[in-house]
Amino acid sequence: MIPAYVILLLLLALSAVAYMLGRNRAFAVAGGPAGLRHLHSRPGYYGALTALWCFGPAIIVFALWQASEGGVITGLVVSHLPPEVQALPPDRLGLVVNDVKNLVGGNILSGDPSPELRKAADEFIRLRVYSRVLLLGVCAMLAAGGLLLSRKGITPQLRARNKVERLVKWLLIACSMLAIFTTVGIILSVLFEAIRFFKIIPVQDFLFGLEWSPQMAIREDQVGGSGAFGAVPVFVGTALISIIAMVVAVPIGLMAAIYMSEYASRKFRATAKPLMEILAGIPTVVYGFFAALTVAPIVRDWGSAVGLSVSSESGLVAGLVMGIMIIPFVSSLSDDVINAVPQSLRDGALALGSTSSETVRKVVLPAALPGIVGSVLLAMSRAIGETMIVVMAAGLSANLTLNPFETVTTVTVQIVTLLIGDQEFDSPKTLAAFALGLVLFLVTLCLNIFALHVVRKYREQYE
Amino acid sequence: MNNTTTKPRPIDIVNAGLAKRYAAEKRFRLYGFSAIVISLCFLGLLFVTIVYDGLPAFTQTYLKLEVALPEAEFDRENLNAANYPLFIKQAIRSYFPEVTERREVRDIDNFISNSAPFDLEKAVFADPSLIGKSVTLWVLADDDVDQLVKGHIDRDVPEIERRMSDRQIAWVDSLKKRGLLERKFNTVFLTTGDSREPEQAGIWGAVMGSFYSLLITLLLSFPIGISAAVYLEEFAPKNKWTDLIEVNINNLAAVPSIVFGLLGLAVFLNFFELPRSAPLVGGLVLTLMTLPVIIIASRAALKSVPPSIREAALGIGSSQLQTVLNHVLPLAMPGMLTGAIIGMARALGETAPLLMIGMVAFIVDVPQGITDAATALPVQIYLWSDSPERGFREKTSAAIIVLLVFLLAMNALAVILRKKFERRW
C-alpha cells in the first residue's frame, strides 16, 4: 500500500527537478549567461513552465483517481460477489459492502465473516494495491512526459513568462471562486436533504405546526413516538433567547461604544478596548460551560430567593451569557460608525451650548443610527446562529412559552441533538435537522445581507 | 421696551436648567463607564471561576504502595500471565490489616485507580530483576480519594448523600497521616488521551486532534486565502461577477458555524465518503470557515500598500504578477499573517461544526495522523462538561485553561507581529 502523500511528495520532488532542468535548458539554448538577452523571459520562467507541465497534469489525474478509486473498487468487488448476494436490495447490499470494508480495515463486524466475505475482502485489498501501483505509474509517466516535452519545447522565442502568468492568474481566479462554491455547496447540500424531508412532512406542517417532538417510533406499538415536526416552538425559543441576548448586549455594547469614542481618555481606551475584545475571542464552548455551571445556579438561587421558580436550564441564563458574548460585536461595530460621524457635527452642537451627552443623544446617535442598526442586525444573526452556549445551557424540550425562566430549545440545539449519534440517513428525524439548517441559513443570510447593505450605504454618506 | 422685566432672559432659562442638564450629563457618562465595567467584570468572573475550578486538576493524588512480587507467582517466560491486580490489592490491603469484611475490603481496593496494575506491569517489564523483591510504586489514587484530598467532598454533608462513607474518609485520612498519599504534578492529564475514569483522563489526544485539524486548515486556507485576496484586490476587474464574489465572502464570514458543519456532513462525509471523526474532515470544514476571515484581512493588508510601490515596479518594466509577487506581497505579508493567526485562533475554539462531523466520539487513543479518529480540544471540553463526576468538572476547567493559554499565545503573537511590522507610509 502506497500512501497518497508519498505520491504527492514524489511529484513535488520531480517538479523541483523539472524546474532546474528547464532553467538549465534555457541557459543552454541562450548560449550561456552572455546570451540571456536573446531569451524572451528570464530563465526562471522557463524552469517554472517546465515544472508546471510536470506537476499539473499529474496532479489532476491524481485528484480524479483519488476521488473515484473507492467507488470503482467497490463496484468491482460487488460484481465478483456471488449472484444471490448481488440480488439483495440496495440497503442490504450496502451492509455487506460495509462488512467487507470493516474486514479490510480490521474493525468490528456485524457477525462472523463468511468465506465469501473473506474472499471479497482479500480481493478488495488486492485491487487497492493494484490501483495504487497503477496510480503511481500513471502519475510518474505523466510527470516525466510533461517534463521532457516542455523541456524540448524551450526556445529563446518561447513566451514562457506570459504562459506562466496566465496560468497563475487562472489559479488565483479559481481560489477566489471557492467562496461561491462554498455558498453553492451549503445551499445544495442543505436544500436537497430538506426537500427529502418536506416530501415526508409538508412544508406548512413544519413551518406552522405547534408541536415539536422528533422521536420516531421504532416499533409499531411504541407510545409517545409519533414524531411531530411543527417547528414553531423551536422558532419561538430561538427568538426568545436571541431577544434576551439583545436586551443585554445592545444597551451595554452601545453605551460602551459611546463612552469609548466620546469620553474615554486615550490611555483608558487603549487598555479597555482590547480587554473587551477578549470577550469576542473566547470560545463559545467556554461560555456554555460558564453558563451551565456558574451562572445557572446563581440565577436559580436568586430566583428562589424572590420566590420565582427558575428551571436549571432556562432561556434566561442562555440569553444572558450569549448577550455578554455579543457585547463586543455591538460595541466595536458601533464604535466604528460613531467615529465616522464627522467632527464638524459635534462641534456645531457643542458651539450651540449642548452638553456632550446632549450632543451624543441628539446629533451623533441619529447620524449614526443606520450604522448602529446594521451592527445590531449582525449581532442578532450571530445570536440566532450561536450553538454551544444554548446546547449547554438552554435545554432540549421544546416548550411553546414566552416565559424566560422555563426551559426552551433553539434551532441550533435541535440540529445538534438530531444529528449526533447514529441514525439512518432517510429517517425524517435526521432530515429534519437539515430543514432546520435551511431555515437558519436563510434567516441569517437575509439578516446579514440587509445589515451589510445598511452599514455600507451609511459609511459612504460623509465621503 | 418695558416688557423685558416680564419676559425672562434666555440666559436665565439656560441657567435654570443647567443643574439638571449637568446631572444628566454625569449620569450619561456613568452609564457608559458602568457598561464597560460590567462587561469587564463578567470577563473577570469568567476567568476567576475557571482558574479557581481548574487549577486543582494540574495536581493529582498519588498513593505510595509497597508491592511484594513473590517469585512463585511469576513465569519468567511469560510475564504477562502474572496477576498484577492481585499484587496491587494485596499491597493496599496490607495497610489495613484490621479490615477483613468483604465489602470493606472492596472499598479499600477501590482507593486505587484501575490503571495501577498496568503501571506495575510496565515496571516489571522494564526491570525483571524486581521479581522476588518488593517494589515501591506511586500509583494514581482513585478519583474519589483525589477529590477528598483536594477538599471537594464536603465532610459535613450527611453520610448518605456523600460519595464516600465516614469509614472510607477515616481510612483516607489515616493514609494521609502516614504520608502515603501525596499530591504531585499531574503529568497524566497532559500526556494521555480521554478516559472514562477522571483520574486517568488527559487532553493530549484532543490537543493532537486540534493540532492536525489546524494543520490542514493552515495548509489550505492560508495559500488559498492569499491567492483569492490577491486576485480580488490586484487583478479583478470591477464588474458584477467580482461584486458577487465579494458579497459572498462577506456573507460567508457571518454564516453560523453549525451550517458549515451541515455542509461538511452532507458533502465530505456522505458524498465523498471521507472517514468520520477524522481531523482531515475537521480541517476541511474549518478551512471553509476560516477562508473568508483570511481573505478579508489579506485584502485590507494589500489595500494598505501604497500605489506608488506598484507604479514604481510597473515603471521599470515588471509585469503585473511580478509587481505583486516581488513588491506588494512582501510588504503586505505581516498584515496577512496577523489575519491568518486570528483566523486560526477562531478555528481553534470552534466546536459546533466538529460535532456535526462526528468528532464527539469517545476516543482513548492519541491520533497518529490526519485520518485517525480524533476529537478536538473544545469538543473535549464539551464532552467532559457533560460528565457527572466531580473530577471531570475540574478537568473541564483545566482543559479550558489550556485552550485559553493557546488562544492568548496566538493572539499575543498576532499583536507582536502587528507591532513589529507596523509601517506608516
Side-chain angles (χ1 to χ4, degrees):
Chain A
M1 186 73 187
I2 308 157
Y5 67 89
V6 170
I7 301 179
L8 270 182
L9 285 180
L10 206 77
L11 275 182
L12 281 175
L14 214 58
S15 306
V17 172
Y19 178 83
M20 296 307 295
L21 286 178
R23 194 162 166 273
N24 289 347
R25 173 80 185 168
F27 274 111
V29 295
L36 276 187
R37 63 199 152 83
H38 298 307
L39 286 178
H40 170 270
S41 311
R42 303 194 54 208
Y45 281 101
Y46 293 94
L49 191 64
T50 318
L52 281 172
W53 271 110
C54 172
F55 189 72
I59 194 74
I60 290 171
V61 168
F62 176 80
L64 290 178
W65 197 294
Q66 281 279 339
S68 57
E69 186 185 43
V72 172
I73 292 182
T74 313
L76 278 175
V77 169
V78 167
S79 71
H80 287 167
L81 283 171
E84 71 269 16
V85 178
Q86 281 191 56
L88 286 171
D91 48 332
R92 295 282 305 279
L93 193 63
L95 277 181
V96 174
V97 170
N98 249 341
D99 269 354
V100 171
K101 281 183 184 164
N102 282 337
L103 203 57
V104 170
N107 291 332
I108 304 153
L109 295 180
S110 57
D112 259 347
S114 61
E116 289 104 70
L117 221 59
R118 286 201 179 283
K119 223 182 96 203
D122 288 343
E123 194 182 334
F124 196 94
I125 295 176
R126 201 164 44 86
L127 281 175
R128 211 159 59 169
V129 172
Y130 280 165
S131 151
R132 278 311 157 103
V133 172
L134 202 62
L135 173 60
L136 184 66
V138 169
C139 279
M141 258 170 55
L142 273 175
L147 197 169
L148 292 177
L149 275 181
S150 62
R151 182 173 174 274
K152 221 175 138 197
I154 292 176
T155 57
Q157 289 80 37
L158 183 71
R159 295 161 70 82
R161 198 197 76 202
N162 307 42
K163 288 190 173 189
V164 172
E165 290 195 344
R166 202 176 318 140
L167 231 144
V168 171
K169 203 169 151 184
W170 276 109
L171 258 178
L172 296 182
I173 292 177
C175 287
S176 51
M177 293 281 289
L178 206 65
I180 303 255
F181 286 140
T182 310
T183 314
V184 172
I186 288 176
I187 293 173
L188 287 187
S189 59
V190 177
L191 197 65
F192 272 131
E193 306 287 336
I195 287 173
R196 279 172 67 193
F197 173 73
F198 290 135
K199 271 186 194 150
I200 309 170
I201 313 282
V203 186
Q204 62 272 20
D205 288 6
F206 173 72
L207 286 181
F208 304 112
L210 295 183
E211 197 179 336
W212 177 267
S213 73
Q215 288 76 24
M216 292 296 281
I218 299 171
R219 303 185 315 270
E220 290 293 321
D221 54 338
Q222 196 172 327
V223 182
S226 56
F229 291 96
V232 169
V234 182
F235 296 149
V236 170
T238 311
L240 180 69
I241 288 182
S242 308
I243 287 168
I244 295 172
M246 300 317 286
V247 166
V248 174
V250 171
I252 295 184
L254 198 55
M255 286 312 292
I258 291 171
Y259 190 85
M260 290 275 192
S261 57
E262 302 289 322
Y263 291 109
S265 68
R266 186 176 285 230
K267 221 167 142 190
F268 180 81
R269 194 184 150 94
T271 47
K273 204 172 175 188
L275 276 180
M276 298 254 305
E277 267 156 19
I278 291 181
L279 278 177
I282 292 176
T284 51
V285 66
V286 177
Y287 280 110
F289 181 68
F290 180 66
L293 272 102
T294 310
V295 182
I298 295 177
V299 170
R300 201 176 47 220
D301 291 347
W302 286 357
S304 60
V306 294
L308 281 169
S309 79
V310 182
S311 156
S312 63
E313 292 183 322
S314 63
L316 182 67
V317 171
L320 200 70
V321 174
M322 197 194 281
I324 295 165
M325 182 201 87
I326 294 174
I327 288 172
F329 292 101
V330 178
S331 75
S332 65
L333 270 171
S334 307
D335 198 20
D336 285 352
V337 281
I338 289 172
N339 273 332
V341 174
Q343 189 60 31
S344 60
L345 289 186
R346 286 190 196 90
D347 290 346
L350 291 171
L352 287 173
S354 312
T355 63
S356 318
S357 67
E358 285 162 351
T359 312
V360 169
R361 271 180 304 192
K362 302 209 165 116
V363 178
V364 177
L365 280 190
L369 197 60
I372 291 171
V373 170
S375 76
V376 169
L377 288 177
L378 275 182
M380 186 89 189
S381 107
R382 216 161 257 272
I384 292 174
E386 167 47 41
T387 312
M388 293 319 292
I389 296 177
V390 282
V391 167
M392 292 163 87
L396 303 178
S397 57
N399 291 329
L400 185 54
T401 174
L402 288 176
N403 179 358
F405 302 118
E406 270 186 54
T407 303
V408 290
T409 192
T410 69
V411 173
T412 47
V413 173
Q414 289 307 317
I415 294 177
V416 168
T417 47
L418 290 176
L419 283 183
I420 289 186
D422 293 321
Q423 279 106 14
E424 68 271 54
F425 251 80
D426 40 10
S427 94
K429 192 179 161 187
T430 329
L431 295 175
F434 285 92
L436 286 175
L438 181 67
V439 173
L440 179 68
F441 178 71
L442 289 180
V443 169
T444 52
L445 188 73
C446 291
L447 273 176
N448 291 337
I449 290 179
F450 187 54
L452 286 173
H453 177 74
V454 169
V455 171
R456 187 186 291 186
K457 190 168 180 194
Y458 170 71
R459 267 198 196 135
E460 283 162 4
Q461 215 167 353
Y462 295 113
E463 281 166 11
Chain B
M1 290 301 241
N2 54 359
N3 59 354
T4 46
T5 45
T6 51
K7 193 177 177 189
R9 291 181 305 158
I11 187 71
D12 291 330
I13 301 175
V14 170
N15 279 337
L18 213 49
K20 220 170 144 191
R21 286 173 60 207
Y22 279 153
E25 168 75 24
K26 252 195 194 141
R27 270 205 309 278
F28 192 74
R29 227 183 136 128
L30 192 71
Y31 293 152
F33 188 69
S34 43
I36 292 172
V37 170
I38 288 172
S39 18
L40 293 186
C41 275
F42 267 111
L43 187 68
L45 182 68
L46 183 89
F47 276 123
V48 167
T49 50
I50 281 170
V51 169
Y52 178 80
D53 255 11
L55 274 187
F58 288 99
T59 60
Q60 183 81 33
T61 309
Y62 283 81
L63 223 165
K64 189 180 179 185
L65 287 183
E66 291 287 340
V67 189
L69 300 170
E71 180 87 56
E73 299 279 342
F74 281 91
D75 174 3
R76 290 269 178 187
E77 304 297 295
N78 187 5
L79 290 176
N80 281 323
N83 191 350
Y84 295 100
L86 182 71
F87 301 146
I88 296 281
K89 277 178 193 166
Q90 282 167 347
I92 179 84
R93 284 171 193 171
S94 72
Y95 289 142
F96 301 98
E98 73 280 7
V99 179
T100 47
E101 201 207 323
R102 246 182 80 191
R103 211 162 51 92
E104 297 186 347
V105 169
R106 210 169 44 222
D107 280 347
I108 293 177
D109 291 345
N110 284 344
F111 281 177
I112 300 174
S113 168
N114 58 18
S115 70
F118 299 104
D119 292 346
L120 181 64
E121 196 176 336
K122 240 186 263 166
V124 171
F125 268 75
D127 183 7
S129 71
L130 289 172
I131 296 170
K133 293 182 224 161
S134 104
V135 48
T136 310
L137 206 61
W138 283 96
V139 296
L140 277 174
D142 186 64
D143 165 51
D144 286 337
V145 175
D146 184 48
Q147 292 299 312
L148 183 71
V149 170
K150 286 173 182 167
H152 293 320
I153 293 184
D154 191 351
R155 290 159 192 258
D156 300 331
V157 169
E159 194 173 352
I160 307 176
E161 294 169 23
R162 225 187 289 138
R163 277 188 74 97
M164 288 185 118
S165 65
D166 285 341
R167 224 178 9 230
Q168 283 171 300
I169 290 180
W171 288 330
V172 172
D173 286 343
S174 113
L175 283 174
K176 210 169 156 188
K177 213 172 282 163
R178 284 189 257 172
L180 299 170
L181 279 178
E182 203 171 289
R183 274 172 77 173
K184 296 183 179 184
F185 183 71
N186 190 354
T187 46
V188 172
F189 178 66
L190 295 177
T191 53
T192 62
D194 197 3
S195 168
R196 294 268 185 238
E197 306 293 328
E199 74 274 5
Q200 296 168 31
I203 53 165
W204 190 242
V207 169
M208 288 315 284
S210 273
F211 170 76
Y212 285 126
S213 305
L214 284 190
L215 188 71
I216 301 276
T217 310
L218 184 68
L219 286 181
L220 290 174
S221 66
F222 192 54
I224 295 179
I226 286 182
S227 310
V230 163
Y231 176 72
L232 290 175
E233 203 55 43
E234 304 284 333
F235 294 99
K238 263 267 153 223
N239 58 24
K240 277 229 163 99
W241 188 232
T242 51
D243 247 18
L244 181 71
I245 295 180
E246 219 184 306
V247 171
N248 232 302
I249 289 170
N250 283 332
N251 270 323
L252 277 182
V255 166
S257 58
I258 195 163
V259 174
F260 282 97
L262 289 177
L263 169 77
L265 177 62
V267 173
F268 296 131
L269 292 191
N270 288 350
F271 190 71
F272 287 116
E273 298 191 340
L274 291 173
R276 255 180 109 77
S277 312
L280 173 67
V281 183
L284 287 173
V285 172
L286 292 178
T287 299
L288 295 182
M289 283 188 57
T290 319
L291 257 182
V293 179
I294 294 185
I295 293 178
I296 292 170
S298 301
R299 289 190 68 178
L302 286 171
K303 240 180 230 157
S304 71
V305 176
S308 57
I309 304 275
R310 296 183 185 83
E311 282 150 16
L314 292 172
I316 55 168
S318 303
S319 71
Q320 218 178 349
L321 193 71
Q322 284 171 323
T323 309
V324 172
L325 286 186
N326 301 339
H327 302 277
V328 180
L329 213 50
L331 290 171
M333 203 36 103
M336 292 176 163
L337 278 177
T338 328
I341 293 170
I342 289 171
M344 297 304 290
R346 230 202 245 180
L348 173 62
E350 202 52 70
T351 321
L354 302 184
L355 301 185
M356 297 286 94
I357 55 156
M359 287 183 89
V360 276
F362 171 73
I363 290 149
V364 177
D365 298 324
V366 175
Q368 301 297 321
I370 54 169
T371 49
D372 287 358
T375 179
L377 207 42
V379 185
Q380 186 74 76
I381 291 167
Y382 172 65
L383 280 172
W384 280 348
S385 73
D386 249 5
S387 304
E389 284 104 330
R390 178 64 177 74
F392 274 121
R393 177 167 174 184
E394 74 179 30
K395 290 270 140 69
T396 314
S397 297
I400 289 177
I401 295 176
V402 173
L403 179 63
L404 289 181
V405 166
F406 276 123
L407 283 180
L408 285 181
M410 285 166 99
N411 281 313
L413 185 67
V415 170
I416 291 169
L417 266 179
R418 195 182 308 171
K419 278 257 152 67
K420 187 162 162 110
F421 292 103
E422 198 171 47
R423 226 172 159 146
R424 295 224 171 259
W425 300 95

